[in-house]
Structures are given as structure tokens and as C-alpha cells.
Amino acid sequence: MKPIENPPIVLQSDRLTVEIAPPGSVYSGSRFDWTAFIMQVTLDGMHTFCVPESLEPGQGSGGIGLCGEFGIEEVIGYDEAQPGDLFPKLGIGLLARLDEQPYNFFRPYEIVTPFPVHVMTGPTQAMFTVEPVDCRGYAVRLTKTVTVEGAGLTIAYVLENVGEKPIVTTEYVHNFAGIDGHAIGPDYRLRMPNTIAFATPQAAFVEHMAQMMAVLDVRGGDIRWRATPEGNFYCRPLGFAATDDAQWELVHEPSGVGMREFDDFTPARVVVWGTTHVASAEIFVSLDVQPGETQEWTRRYEFFA
């Protein structure tokens, strides 16, 4: 029997089994943070919550489950880099700027220098420490600790600015969620803590927004689906604030199985994205860390049946 290459890091509580990809193994692209790349969460040995972005091999960006990203729009050091120069993508490494075009997270960038990562694991906890590599005065030490307890999963972040320049960006988790393999449709409800209003779309997206709203049924703080969407949907809900309640809750109503996210910060913005088999509510945290300073934040997920 051939040994499994890069077996997942497995954390277990009395109710959860969490599978995490070793950094750079399952995912080695230039978009998503390689650390704490959570591929699957299983509740009570039977209910699953994580799906890939695309069900077609080789398509999409390679995202799976609960995977984070720093700087999808606010890219550290990119604007001051010339074509061929390097810029840091936190959680990944130093990337090479391709040309004069603005940064585009859909484009693959060459990873010239991956950041060194140290991993420590135990039965219920895994700690990932990304060591700094200086890039024109930008240098960060990032520590992410994943802990499971009961039906809950916590990701705790510590970002230390050990460089000479400020770190100003955002981070979010692209929650690729699909409960027990059920297609997105009328059986799902996405609940948020306030009445949902949407940002006015740019002119280029007005037609897309109209098509999307023909599929989405938005009432108060709930988003439902009139049918399984034929393609991607995307919107930016407004009016979010810090709360002790869940920032979002996704439930497959016939089974009563669902998941929710709690955050200890005020969201910088909120995005809802999805397609036929996945719904992703994304809560962004704003990062502004001066040289010598540290910023900490936490995301906590609860899974229920």
C-alpha cells in the first residue's frame, strides 16, 4: 500500500472532526492564505459543511471550505512595485508584479519566495506561525491558531508588524459552505442580524444584480433562494456592526443542519457570494498595524443539527 502524501492535519472534539491541509499541499496558489486551510468539518460523524469553489476539476481559484485571504483589494506594497518587483501576499509569500495592470486576485502571480511556516499540532489544536521575510520595509509575523471544542471551531489571529512600514489591508474567510452536499436552493436560508440592504452596484453590474434578485428572496434579515442558481451570485449587504450574535447563519431547513459565525470585531464590509452548490458569507476585518504593533482578532464557528 502506497503511503498518503501530505495527509491532512486532523483535529477532533467529542462532536467535530476538522481536516486542515498542510501549508502549500492541497492549495499552493497566489490568492488564498496557505495556513489554516480548512478542507472539511464533520459534525457527529455524519454532517459535512465544506465544499470546493468549483465542482469541475481545474476550474475556479482552488478555494475549498474555510480558507482566508489577505488583501483581495488592499494589496500591500503592490502599487509602489514596478513590473518584476516583489510584493507580499500575507499567508503565502513574496509575489512578482506582472505588469502595469492593477492587482487582480483572479490572475496567478509567481510566488518567488514562500514565507517559512512552522506548524504545531495536538488533538484539538493546530498553530501555524508564518515567519517574516522583508520586502522593501514590509515584514509580518502571522500566527493562526485553530481550536475545536464541542460543536465549535475557533480561529485566533495574531498579526505582528516587525517591519518599517505600516500594514494596512483587510482579511476575510471565503466560507465555501454547502451542507451535506445539498444544492443551493429553496431549502436554504441565510440569516443575518439586521435588515438587509444592498450596496448600489456599479453600472457594469446593474444587469447582473437584476438577474440575481430574480433568484434571491430577501426579507428582513433573511436571504432565501427561489430556485437553484444557474451561475454565480454576488452582493454586498450594508449596515453591519459589532454584535454578540452571529454575523451570519446558514441552515438547510429540511434537515435543520447549519453553521454560524461569530466575530469579535466590527466588520469592515460583508459580501455574499455563491453558485449552484455553495453559499459563502464573507466578513471582512480591517487591519491597520503600525511598525512594532500587533493586532489580534478571532472568528468562532458553531455547527448544529
Side-chain angles (χ1 to χ4, degrees):
M1 182 177 293
K2 185 177 180 179
I4 298 174
E5 295 183 6
N6 297 312
I9 298 165
V10 178
L11 307 181
Q12 287 189 306
S13 69
D14 58 336
R15 298 197 65 191
L16 290 184
T17 299
V18 176
E19 299 174 44
I20 307 173
S25 60
V26 172
Y27 179 81
S28 57
S30 61
R31 179 181 178 184
F32 295 115
D33 186 344
W34 291 6
T35 65
F37 192 93
I38 298 172
M39 299 185 296
Q40 190 56 272
V41 177
T42 304
L43 175 68
D44 297 332
M46 59 188 300
H47 299 297
T48 59
F49 299 87
C50 296
V51 295
E53 175 191 343
S54 175
L55 297 178
E56 298 296 327
Q59 294 187 10
S61 62
I64 304 172
L66 313 183
C67 55
E69 180 178 8
F70 287 88
I72 186 173
E73 295 177 355
E74 308 84 354
V75 190
I76 300 167
Y78 183 86
D79 290 342
E80 64 197 66
Q82 299 299 312
D85 288 347
L86 304 184
F87 64 97
K89 182 77 168 176
L90 300 188
I92 300 173
L94 304 186
L95 313 186
R97 179 165 181 168
L98 299 174
D99 47 36
E100 296 287 354
Q101 296 297 314
Y103 177 81
N104 184 337
F105 63 88
F106 285 121
R107 300 179 73 186
Y109 293 85
E110 180 187 359
I111 304 168
V112 177
T113 306
F115 291 137
V117 181
H118 304 295
V119 183
M120 297 180 62
T121 65
T124 62
Q125 189 175 85
M127 178 183 293
F128 303 84
T129 302
V130 185
E131 295 295 347
V133 176
D134 184 83
C135 182
R136 299 192 313 280
Y138 296 107
V140 167
R141 178 176 291 106
L142 172 67
T143 302
K144 295 170 69 175
T145 304
V146 181
T147 305
V148 295
E149 182 178 3
L153 181 158
T154 300
I155 308 174
Y157 305 74
V158 180
L159 190 152
E160 305 172 67
N161 186 347
V162 298
E164 300 173 351
K165 295 181 179 179
I167 300 298
V168 181
T169 187
T170 58
E171 186 270 351
Y172 73 102
V173 174
H174 207 321
N175 301 294
F176 292 105
I179 297 171
D180 288 335
H182 297 293
I184 300 302
D187 287 343
Y188 277 93
R189 183 195 73 232
L190 178 63
R191 172 164 289 173
M192 295 182 169
N194 57 304
T195 298
I196 296 171
F198 294 124
T200 301
Q202 298 176 1
F205 294 97
V206 170
E207 182 178 353
H208 169 77
M209 191 71 174
Q211 294 172 347
M212 182 186 68
M213 294 309 294
V215 175
L216 298 183
D217 180 10
V218 182
R219 301 182 186 183
D222 287 354
I223 297 177
R224 298 173 184 268
W225 289 263
R226 296 184 175 92
T228 296
E230 295 182 359
N232 296 345
F233 56 87
Y234 173 91
C235 54
R236 288 193 177 189
L238 300 174
F240 280 79
T243 176
D244 291 333
D245 295 327
Q247 286 288 3
W248 59 269
E249 176 184 273
L250 182 68
V251 181
H252 179 256
E253 293 192 311
S255 64
V257 180
M259 62 184 293
R260 55 178 76 100
E261 177 183 342
F262 298 83
D263 304 308
D264 67 352
F265 53 84
T266 300
R269 63 178 177 268
V270 174
V271 167
V272 175
W273 177 92
T275 187
T276 58
H277 66 287
V278 55
S280 176
E282 306 162 9
I283 311 298
F284 285 71
V285 60
S286 180
L287 305 175
D288 188 344
V289 190
Q290 298 300 308
E293 294 184 351
T294 297
Q295 185 167 338
E296 302 182 20
W297 67 102
T298 299
R299 303 177 188 274
R300 179 169 58 88
Y301 297 86
E302 290 183 353
F303 303 88
F304 56 91

